[in-house]
Amino acid sequence: MPRIEVCALSRIEEVAHAAGARSMVTLINDSSTVARPKTIAPERHLQLSMSDITAPLDGHVSPEESHVAQLLDFVRAWDRAQPLLIHCYAGVSRSTAAAFIAVCALKPEAPESGLAQRIRALSPTATPNARLVALADDMLGRRGRMSAAVEAIGRGADCFEGVAFAL
């Protein structure tokens, strides 16, 4: 399977160019501006507008099943010819959750705990958004194993911006 690149908003141009990514998923608040790299065609860019929260909070958009459904549809349609870039604002929570979800969807035989541990080994700052993971866990029929795997790796190291990585 081709690589999935994960990074913060500030690094999308650099990572897209270096990796040769031609598809991108953005998970970010409506108020944040995203300049899509020129190498990513508009039809190969999925933007999911949501806040990085795990429970409803006034004035914020909570991750919902519709967001996960769109992510799953996009990832399943990805031609895998070149890397997929997934980013959020800091590259810590929403993007790491989306990468975990993408691999679980594309490799249903892969053990969730091993994938989560691999993410932790690649990025000590990764803290996959528990709400996104729980929604995907249910939608993919993983019976709580995705959520348990993310809970087992715990919260990543505190940071302003996450360590970029490739799965």
Side-chain angles (χ1 to χ4, degrees), residues 28 46 48 50 65 73 84 110 114 117 139 146 165:
I28 206 157
L46 173 65
L48 299 172
M50 69 182 78
E65 192 172 289
D73 288 346
L84 169 65
Q117 289 168 7
M139 293 171 75
M146 289 173 68
F165 65 96

Side-chain angles (χ1 to χ4, degrees), residues 135-156:
L135 290 165
D137 194 327
D138 185 53
M139 293 171 75
L140 294 172
R142 293 283 187 130
R143 302 177 189 229
R145 294 186 307 269
M146 289 173 68
S147 292
V150 165
E151 187 176 328
I153 65 168
R155 180 179 169 80

Side-chain angles (χ1 to χ4, degrees), residues 4-154:
I4 295 175
E5 302 281 338
V6 179
C7 70
L9 173 63
S10 68
R11 298 199 52 209
I12 62 172
E13 187 72 43
E14 167 198 346
V15 172
H17 177 73
R22 297 292 179 265
S23 299
M24 183 169 80
V25 176
T26 297
L27 301 100
I28 206 157
N29 298 337
D30 271 338
S31 60
S32 297
T33 303
V34 177
R36 182 179 34 78
K38 291 179 176 92
T39 58
I40 310 282
E43 66 273 10
R44 296 305 316 146
H45 180 205
L46 173 65
Q47 183 155 342
L48 299 172
S49 299
M50 69 182 78
S51 299
D52 185 17
I53 56 176
T54 57
L57 184 63
D58 284 345
H60 292 269
V61 176
S62 181
E64 299 296 337
E65 192 172 289
S66 62
H67 295 121
V68 176
Q70 290 176 70
L71 173 65
L72 292 172
D73 288 346
F74 187 83
V75 166
R76 288 174 175 145
W78 168 42
D79 66 11
R80 300 180 195 112
Q82 292 93 18
L84 169 65
L85 173 60
I86 300 178
H87 80 93
C88 60
Y89 185 79
V92 172
S93 184
R94 290 166 288 187
S95 59
T96 61
F100 180 59
I101 291 164
V103 175
C104 285
L106 296 173
K107 296 187 70 118
E109 74 287 354
E112 301 83 353
S113 61
L115 292 173
Q117 289 168 7
R118 185 164 177 222
I119 288 171
R120 168 58 70 241
L122 293 167
S123 179
T125 57
T127 306
N129 181 287
R131 175 149 173 85
L132 279 171
V133 171
L135 290 165
D137 194 327
D138 185 53
M139 293 171 75
L140 294 172
R142 293 283 187 130
R143 302 177 189 229
R145 294 186 307 269
M146 289 173 68
S147 292
V150 165
E151 187 176 328
I153 65 168

